[in-house]
Amino acid sequence: MIPLARPVLGEAEERAVLDALRSRQLSLGPRVPAFEEAFAARLGVAHASAVSSGTAALHLGLRAVGVGEGDEVVTSPFSFVASANVILYERATPVFADIDPVTLNLDPDAAAAAITGRTKALLPVHIFGYPADVPALEAHGLPIVEDACEALGARHADGTPVGGRGHPAAFGFYANKQLTTGEGGMLTMASAEHKQQVDSERNQGRAPDMGWLDHDRLGFNYRLTDVACAIGLAQLERLDDMLASRAQVAGWYRAALDGSPVDLPCDDRGGDVRGWFVFVVQLPRGLDRDGAIRALLERGVQSKPYLPAIHLMSFYRELGHREGEFPVCEDVAARSIALPFFPEMTDGQVAQVAEALDAVIRA
Ligand SMILES: Cc1ncc(COP(=O)(O)O)c(C=O)c1O
């Protein structure tokens, strides 16, 4: 069976975990700031705060820019549900805008049209690791919180790493991500004030220079353990190799699927560079996707529908959303499947997936 995803973990991670265990400092220890500093340096950004998940990073990022009850946040409906849920956590309203059919990211014109007097922030998602057009969104002068959970290693056309422009930007370290700590996340940001607020709020609102149980604001337990940060540090060391391997696998897929009726992920355009996260193709219209996924499984290939449109999930329908609101997103979401994709995938496995897909589409 060829799995959908598989992390690269080796002796460096094993040693790092053992060292952390032997230090007896499992939380609030030195590996947390060490991981934060190494991560921030890699992105060329002033600050980073390690947190327990990408969702936690997004949530604290929104709070840092002041999103609260009654505010609107313009965002993409073609994302993992967390990027919209965090807006609801603060009793604000996610205002979806349709996506670009090529990059699958928030369409800057649609986003502009969705801005109202109540818009407090914009929340672009760098979906599937492809850079969202943050430079175009910056023209509105509104706070931006970036969902870079899928986009470690991506770059904007001007050379800035995705997540390195200074806006609060959230990264996720779940096991299928470019870098994993099992579960975990990081918020990068330029503002020292934001960093102070985030560090307090991830730790139950603890006051920065006061005693253990002094809490001067509402907070959460969004801390990341030292063991997780130790894994993160070891993963950072091998990140360039893992990103290069992912790009190589993507290249093999492109060659193997040349001439296939599926739509492939877009090529890098205008100087933007994707940080490869998943290999998602769109099946031809009219093909039974669930049937295709079952048939692929029978041929030893895992796949899954990825991603469903957020506004059409039952929970969001209860908020009043309906089919037809965001036609580009709905068309893409109905046809997308993620194929197996991980750094240690071989060209033989890619060929096996491509052959299976071809056979399933022809059947
Ligand atoms: C686009 C996007 N946003 C947010 C998240 C949430 O990250 P986590 O699962 O670490 O909370 C993910 C992770 O899957 C994601 O892909």
Side-chain angles (χ1 to χ4, degrees), residues 4-24:
L4 257 179
R6 193 164 180 273
V8 181
L9 296 167
E11 278 176 21
E13 285 78 3
E14 289 171 14
R15 245 194 335 270
V17 169
L18 275 178
D19 287 348
L21 294 181
R22 286 178 181 144
S23 77
R24 300 291 188 268

Side-chain angles (χ1 to χ4, degrees), residues 53-55 58 79-80 82 125 127 147 149-150 172-173 177 184 306:
S53 68
T55 308
L58 280 170
S79 175
F80 183 62
V125 182
I127 204 70
D147 183 338
C149 285
E150 301 190 352
F173 304 141
K177 295 294 192 298
Y306 192 77

Side-chain angles (χ1 to χ4, degrees), residues 74-76 78-79 97-100 102-109 111 122-138 144-165 167 169 171 266 268-275:
V74 175
T75 191
S76 171
F78 190 60
S79 175
D98 213 346
I99 58 168
D100 179 288
V102 176
T103 66
L104 312 185
N105 283 323
L106 199 53
D107 174 343
D109 292 334
L122 310 176
L123 199 166
V125 182
H126 305 279
I127 204 70
F128 305 157
Y130 196 82
D133 197 348
V134 177
L137 298 176
E138 284 166 351
I144 293 175
V145 176
E146 300 181 46
D147 183 338
C149 285
E150 301 190 352
L152 186 55
R155 284 188 174 270
H156 293 285
D158 65 2
T160 341
V162 161
R165 299 182 77 82
H167 311 296
F171 290 87
C266 72
D268 291 345
R269 306 181 330 158
D272 286 337
V273 178
R274 187 190 296 267

Side-chain angles (χ1 to χ4, degrees), residues 57 80 83 85 114 140 186 197 208-209 211 231 239 264 283 313 326:
F80 183 62
S83 56
N85 283 351
H140 300 291
M186 189 75 83
Q197 178 175 341
D209 298 317
I231 300 173
L239 181 60
L264 298 179
L283 297 176
M313 293 181 180
F326 308 107

